Amino acid sequence: MILQRIILGLLSIAPMSGYDLKRQFDSSVNYFWSADKAQIYRTLAALVSDGLVEVRTVPGTAAPDRHEHRITRAGRRVLREWLKSDLDRQPERDAFLARIFFAGELEPAEVARLLHRRREAALATLATLEAIRDANPEPADRAERLRLATLDNGLRHTVAELEWLDSLEKELQ
């Protein structure tokens, strides 16, 4: 259900084709909610079937026709109700933390390699998020500010993870 609401949210920003929606998903919300192409298209079809999204075919001139999806009034009502509803906390899954939990089985050098790989991934994420932040202009309105707040959250979490890795590596020396 949350993926439906996320797609409605993206369509509330602008009408999009399925391809555009996947691109927008990958460059924004994918940093805090993942979904593959098949999930997005399947969910989009369900939203159309439920009357929360409508499709308009835009004739292509030098390209194939474009199927543009727009959120309906009913879709906006569903999105607003979800935004105002009680928080639905999702249990987090983190394979790395599961490995750390059981890493007492490993030799110290193997633990160090595991931590090093996580550090490299975190540094890559940090660089990506910083590049996104640097490429975005100052928000023009509250809606843009709130969307950028999710980027700030990702940056802060990544920095905190790097600090945690520093502390853990120091403790294990």
Side-chain angles (χ1 to χ4, degrees):
M1 181 172 96
I2 293 174
L3 180 57
Q4 288 184 348
R5 300 322 184 248
I6 290 171
I7 290 173
L8 287 173
L10 289 172
L11 292 175
S12 76
I13 297 169
M16 294 180 223
S17 68
Y19 175 79
D20 293 335
L21 187 59
K22 174 65 173 136
R23 270 193 16 236
Q24 183 66 28
F25 197 96
D26 288 348
S27 66
S28 60
V29 298
N30 196 46
Y31 291 100
F32 55 84
W33 196 272
S34 64
D36 62 34
K37 180 180 173 183
Q39 290 172 305
I40 291 171
Y41 277 86
R42 194 170 43 249
T43 303
L44 191 55
L47 289 168
V48 169
S49 177
D50 292 344
L52 303 177
V53 169
E54 61 187 17
V55 182
R56 182 174 67 117
T57 301
V58 179
T61 53
D65 290 349
R66 175 181 161 86
H67 302 289
E68 190 175 77
H69 297 81
R70 295 175 175 271
I71 189 170
T72 63
R73 285 185 183 165
R76 285 191 189 280
R77 279 193 304 273
V78 166
L79 176 62
R80 286 183 58 78
E81 288 305 314
W82 175 66
L83 292 171
K84 296 184 307 184
S85 69
D86 290 338
L87 296 179
D88 42 359
R89 181 77 176 141
Q90 299 294 313
E92 292 192 30
R93 294 178 174 176
D94 189 327
F96 170 72
L97 288 179
R99 290 178 188 204
I100 291 298
F101 190 86
F102 297 110
E105 298 289 320
L106 299 176
E107 297 297 322
E110 293 169 318
V111 173
R113 280 193 297 278
L114 179 62
L115 296 174
H116 176 75
R117 287 194 311 266
R118 183 60 170 217
R119 176 179 300 286
E120 292 299 312
L123 288 169
T125 297
L126 184 62
T128 299
L129 295 176
E130 286 174 338
I132 293 169
R133 181 196 58 208
D134 294 344
N136 277 290
E138 284 300 311
D141 58 27
R142 185 171 51 98
E144 286 181 13
R145 177 65 200 115
L146 290 168
R147 285 192 290 273
L148 284 176
T150 64
L151 176 64
D152 183 51
N153 179 274
L155 284 162
R156 290 174 187 235
H157 276 271
T158 305
V159 167
E161 180 164 14
L162 288 164
E163 291 171 356
W164 173 78
L165 286 165
D166 288 343
S167 174
L168 182 58
E169 287 172 333
K170 186 176 180 181
E171 182 181 331
L172 292 175
Q173 288 179 350

